[in-house]
Amino acid sequence: MFNILKKVNYSKLVKEKNRADTFGFHEEKYFNDIVETKYGESVLLSYPEDLNDELATIFLTSIINQKYHRALMYLIFKNNTMQIQDIKVLNDAKSKGYGDLLMEKAIEIAKQKNMKIITGRMVSESIEHRNRQVKYYTKHGFEIDEKNILMKYL
């Protein structure tokens, strides 16, 4: 049954990708590609074509049972440093591997732009939330100091 849902999701994502390619997002042009999470779910990955700007947003979208699931990451580029400004994974999209896809793409973009450092700051709602964040960031090679500042050297 999962394979049937995956195929339905994939065909809908192809239509969404074509729509996104035609109309773009916001005022700028985005690359749009269909990728899979580590769980085999197809998602639409979108990020700006022009990475020369100081700001970028990476979007993930999936369609399951006629409902959109979204996640996004805001990035700032300055002086050979990429700052993760915010990561948002909507509640119904949590624990699906979206955060990992966002981080993998962000690290790839940082390398393309010859960034030397990726940084950010963890803001936690609870101890449980902080523990999940620590696990997530350390899995992706970040160091976290006592002030919750993130640091990854490329």
Side-chain angles (χ1 to χ4, degrees):
M1 180 151 171
F2 177 75
N3 288 334
I4 293 170
L5 288 175
K6 184 176 166 185
K7 287 179 183 175
V8 169
N9 184 28
Y10 187 81
S11 65
K12 288 180 182 177
L13 282 175
V14 168
K15 290 178 185 173
E16 186 68 13
K17 178 188 180 307
N18 291 337
R19 186 188 68 78
D21 286 341
T22 302
F23 299 108
F25 287 94
H26 309 296
E27 296 296 317
E28 53 192 310
K29 184 72 174 145
Y30 275 68
F31 283 118
N32 299 291
D33 195 15
I34 297 173
V35 297
E36 281 191 6
T37 68
K38 61 186 173 187
Y39 302 110
E41 180 184 350
S42 298
V43 295
L44 177 63
L45 171 70
S46 304
Y47 60 97
E49 279 185 4
D50 183 7
L51 291 171
N52 292 323
D53 292 340
E54 286 187 9
L55 305 170
T57 304
I58 305 169
F59 297 92
L60 288 177
T61 305
S62 69
I63 307 167
I64 301 172
N65 296 330
Q66 307 297 326
K67 187 174 180 185
Y68 282 87
H69 301 267
R70 300 184 194 276
L72 53 95
M73 180 184 282
Y74 297 111
L75 306 171
I76 297 175
F77 307 102
K78 200 170 204 174
N79 302 329
N80 293 325
T81 300
M82 181 177 83
Q83 180 183 18
I84 298 170
Q85 191 67 24
D86 198 4
I87 300 173
K88 294 184 185 284
V89 179
L90 300 184
N91 287 338
D92 54 356
K94 288 185 178 173
S95 300
K96 292 179 173 277
Y98 288 19
D100 290 333
L101 284 175
L102 288 171
M103 186 59 75
E104 289 163 11
K105 180 49 77 175
I107 291 169
E108 181 183 314
I109 288 170
K111 288 177 180 177
Q112 285 175 359
K113 290 181 63 69
N114 296 316
M115 298 284 121
K116 304 296 181 210
I117 300 169
I118 301 174
T119 189
R121 182 180 180 99
M122 284 188 348
V123 178
S124 306
E125 300 164 358
S126 65
I127 295 209
E128 178 185 307
H129 184 227
R130 185 184 191 290
N131 291 340
R132 282 195 324 269
Q133 287 177 315
V134 168
K135 183 178 176 183
Y136 171 76
Y137 285 112
T138 55
K139 176 172 78 171
H140 291 285
F142 285 85
E143 297 173 15
I144 305 165
D145 72 9
E146 65 280 350
K147 294 181 181 177
N148 293 326
I149 302 297
L150 307 168
M151 195 70 65
K152 178 179 176 80
Y153 296 93
L154 300 177

